[in-house]
Amino acid sequence: MKVTLTFHGAAGCVTGSCYLLRTPDSRVLIDCGLFQGPKTLKALNYNTFPFVVEQIDAVLLTHAHIDHSGQLPKLVRAGYRGPIFATPQTRELCEIMLADCGHIQESEVEHLNRRNAQRGRPLVEPIYTAKDAARAMRSFEPVDFDDWRRITPDIRARWWRAGHMLGAASVELEVARSGGEPLRLLFSGDLGASGSPFLAGPEGPTTGVDHLIMESTYGGTERPPTDPAARRKALADEMIAAEQAGGPLLMPAFAVERTQELLADLLQVIAAGDAPPCEMFLDSPLAIKACDIFFRNGWTGENNPFEKVRAGGRLHFLEKPAESDRLDKLTGWHLIMAGSGMCDAGRIRRHLKRLLWKRETTVVLTGFQAAGTLGRLLQDGHTAVHIQGEPISVKARIRSLDIYSGHADAAGLEAWARARSPVRGNLILTHGEPDSIRALKRRLAPLFDDRILTPELDECLSLEATHAAPEPSTPRLSAEAATTLDWHNRRSDFLSHLDAHLEGLSDDTQRTAVLLRLQDVLGGRRS
Ligand SMILES: [Zn+2]
């Protein structure tokens, strides 16, 4: 029997990381994340897994981000009873992140079911609850960085520091084979940028890799090299411009790692007199909980930058929804940081809904914005968006500050792949939108010739030491469908344009005429 690797997520898109490795004796998953972005892609979260859950022997987790860990409670709910191997820091972060995700699933379904009941549609169950998340935590088995760990009788693994976020790892796997050398696979997980003052750069084995499975998030982007001082200067400049615009600065931020890094720098630039002081609100219960974890783990040296990230002075931590509601009365220069980072969920949506239409508002996006998310629509310059079913016109200044991203850029990815060379078999590019994967493939072609593979969702490869070959497979979605705007996005776009068009007409007769013409096209009856 062959060794095969199937890409059940993060293939042709950046979310839903989940790879299934089958050997003659074992079946293990590397990551088990939620799909995020277009509704068509997110719908996969509600389906059953495309493999037999009871047959999985172990899960190897690279890091705590929900797009890598977010389906673990669903896996346990579906009957998985094996171990989930992860670093202690990843375990600690998953404890708060999966519970939060469970709450989000519950409240989203509550909201959806209210609408389904009104429309006479069948009610749906949450993917999982906070209770399921707590249950999944009992399956976690801590692993140390750098040490080989027996996973199943024929597989051992070792976790390498990947930068990216607290506890994040690349995972190296060694698969024993009867009558031959073991097969060595390296899964990059998400790779961090080097030069961060908070995290060390990504590491990894320097020899002996047969197949390298690497993320491609920023495969088409090269950022100017920045040091911590340059990063803080860019942040201070955004604050100065936002204050001059006269209104609040909204920072949709990833609750864990990015929020703490931004807060540490914000406090520093204000203390140094480089940016205008203001009341600052951290409006994210998850980020507030994560601050505690960073306070304990963040920086074990003498100088812990996260130590200063405590509520006090002009920095306020808002835990209760009522505290968040009180922000509605504020005017003028202040700063609100809230999740989620891609504006897909969380309290940031409420603030965007009430502030996007004002010219004096500034929104600074600080991380990767996946296709189909509200953050990406704003980044792409859409002048009208829908939030919680309501059309909102975008007059705010929208800025991107991706030097705070936790991901390596194209040069960083190339350097990491180069440091793992020579790779005997293939470079397999995953976790990227099609344009980024294509760009990274072109960039790395001189190093890997024609040995670069770019699997699609649910594609299966059979693995030999020197080559990987595609096996027949049935994809649930094409890469195109996973990353382009789906009909839900297009409907929102159409409704926003229709509203703008109707408003632009000079009188009600013209507006009625347009609506009647549209109704004719649809074949509806005029009333
Ligand atoms: Zn990540």
Side-chain angles (χ1 to χ4, degrees):
M1 207 180 127
K2 293 180 275 200
V3 174
T4 64
L5 183 62
T6 313
F7 300 84
H8 288 308
C13 61
V14 291
T15 63
S17 276
C18 184
Y19 313 136
L20 170 62
L21 180 73
R22 290 174 216 237
T23 74
D25 296 317
S26 334
R27 285 165 195 224
V28 303
L29 290 181
I30 294 88
D31 289 340
C32 192
L34 269 189
F35 288 99
Q36 294 165 321
K39 283 188 182 165
T40 315
L41 193 57
K42 283 202 284 191
L44 297 178
N45 297 328
Y46 283 88
N47 298 348
T48 51
F49 287 105
F51 46 78
V52 182
V53 171
E54 291 79 8
Q55 290 178 350
I56 304 295
D57 299 301
V59 180
L60 291 77
L61 185 58
T62 60
H63 65 291
H65 276 149
I66 287 302
D67 62 316
H68 292 256
S69 70
Q71 290 211 63
L72 287 170
K74 175 178 150 186
L75 192 74
V76 172
R77 189 172 157 135
Y80 176 66
R81 295 292 171 263
I84 299 166
F85 293 100
T87 63
Q89 299 92 336
T90 294
R91 190 204 172 282
E92 204 172 349
L93 290 174
C94 275
E95 184 144 27
I96 59 168
M97 293 172 84
L98 293 178
D100 181 73
C101 195
H103 281 302
I104 291 172
Q105 307 305 331
E106 288 176 59
S107 60
E108 274 187 2
V109 160
E110 205 181 298
H111 182 74
L112 184 68
N113 276 345
R114 260 202 305 274
R115 273 205 312 213
N116 283 347
Q118 282 164 358
R119 294 173 189 178
R121 290 184 188 156
L123 302 186
V124 293
E125 282 260 300
I127 304 169
Y128 58 84
T129 62
K131 219 169 150 185
D132 294 321
R135 192 158 149 222
M137 291 316 300
R138 297 204 282 271
S139 302
F140 273 67
E141 293 249 354
V143 291
D144 291 325
F145 280 111
D146 308 329
D147 289 343
W148 281 107
R149 179 71 174 252
R150 175 64 51 201
I151 304 297
T152 63
D154 65 340
I155 297 176
R156 58 180 198 147
R158 120 174 114 158
W159 277 251
W160 293 85
R161 282 171 188 78
H164 186 58
M165 83 183 300
L166 183 65
S170 301
V171 182
E172 182 184 10
L173 261 74
E174 197 183 76
V175 183
R177 288 189 302 175
S178 55
E181 289 275 294
L183 189 66
R184 298 274 287 277
L185 309 174
L186 178 61
F187 294 84
S188 71
D190 284 1
L191 294 168
S194 37
S196 156
F198 303 103
L199 291 162
E203 302 169 347
T206 47
T207 52
V209 175
D210 292 320
H211 296 288
L212 181 57
I213 299 94
M214 189 170 85
E215 67 119 326
S216 320
T217 318
Y218 279 99
T221 310
E222 204 160 335
R223 299 186 206 107
T226 44
D227 56 34
R231 233 160 75 137
R232 284 196 291 272
K233 163 95 175 55
L235 182 66
D237 288 348
E238 290 299 344
M239 290 181 73
I240 292 166
E243 191 221 10
Q244 281 168 358
L249 170 57
L250 286 186
M251 275 194 174
F254 294 86
V256 177
E257 185 78 50
R258 222 53 49 214
T259 290
Q260 289 73 27
E261 294 188 4
L262 280 160
L263 281 176
D265 276 1
L266 283 167
L267 293 169
Q268 195 168 333
V269 293
I270 291 174
D274 296 332
C278 62
E279 298 299 313
M280 288 182 282
F281 302 92
L282 178 58
D283 191 16
S284 160
L286 176 61
I288 293 166
K289 283 198 191 99
C291 283
D292 271 336
I293 295 179
F294 277 84
F295 180 58
R296 289 198 299 275
N297 289 276
W299 198 319
T300 46
E302 284 164 25
N303 177 19
N304 181 349
F306 300 112
E307 205 170 323
K308 298 188 194 80
V309 181
R310 308 304 257 183
R314 303 183 84 170
L315 176 60
H316 312 273
F317 284 4
L318 312 182
E319 291 190 56
K320 300 192 181 75
E323 294 171 319
S324 173
D325 292 345
R326 282 204 281 278
L327 296 182
D328 299 7
K329 296 199 181 71
L330 280 183
T331 53
W333 167 230
H334 59 281
L335 188 150
I336 300 172
M337 196 183 281
S340 72
M342 298 194 281
C343 314
D344 242 18
R347 293 188 186 172
I348 195 69
R349 290 175 73 83
R350 210 177 61 75
H351 297 304
L352 288 168
K353 193 171 163 186
R354 67 184 181 84
L355 292 167
L356 270 178
W357 63 277
K358 296 184 175 180
R359 281 182 204 286
E360 61 268 31
T361 303
T362 300
V363 179
V364 175
L365 301 164
T366 55
F368 185 77
Q369 308 294 320
T373 58
L374 175 57
R376 178 67 158 266
L377 295 178
L378 294 174
Q379 194 170 48
D380 287 349
H382 284 240
T383 51
V385 292
H386 267 75
I387 303 179
Q388 292 157 346
E390 270 184 50
I392 310 286
S393 128
V394 183
K395 301 263 166 42
R397 303 166 63 245
I398 309 292
R399 308 279 304 157
S400 284
L401 196 61
D402 72 1
I403 45 175
Y404 274 89
S405 164
H407 282 275
D409 68 353
L413 293 172
E414 181 183 341
W416 189 82
R418 209 175 265 284
R420 315 281 83 82
S421 297
V423 169
R424 222 162 22 136
N426 292 84
L427 169 68
I428 302 167
L429 296 179
T430 60
H431 199 289
E433 288 175 4
D435 283 350
S436 308
I437 288 187
R438 271 193 291 274
L440 191 59
K441 188 177 175 182
R442 272 197 305 276
R443 185 178 186 119
L444 296 177
L447 200 60
F448 290 88
D449 306 312
D450 56 357
R451 292 179 296 129
I452 304 179
L453 297 173
T454 58
E456 290 202 9
L457 189 65
D458 298 320
E459 192 169 327
C460 176
L461 300 174
S462 76
L463 305 179
E464 295 292 335
T466 53
H467 71 279
E471 293 276 305
S473 48
T474 356
R476 285 169 291 171
L477 271 185
S478 69
E480 171 96 16
T483 49
T484 48
L485 296 183
D486 64 14
W487 74 267
H488 298 278
N489 296 125
R490 293 198 191 286
R491 174 183 168 275
S492 291
D493 240 19
F494 171 77
L495 292 177
S496 303
H497 281 120
L498 178 64
D499 284 342
H501 182 79
L502 291 174
E503 267 170 39
L505 295 174
S506 57
D507 60 54
D508 285 356
T509 318
Q510 289 190 37
R511 290 183 191 107
T512 308
V514 167
L515 287 169
L516 288 175
R517 278 212 306 280
L518 273 173
Q519 221 166 345
D520 280 344
V521 172
L522 296 172
R525 284 211 353 240
R526 292 179 173 211
S527 49

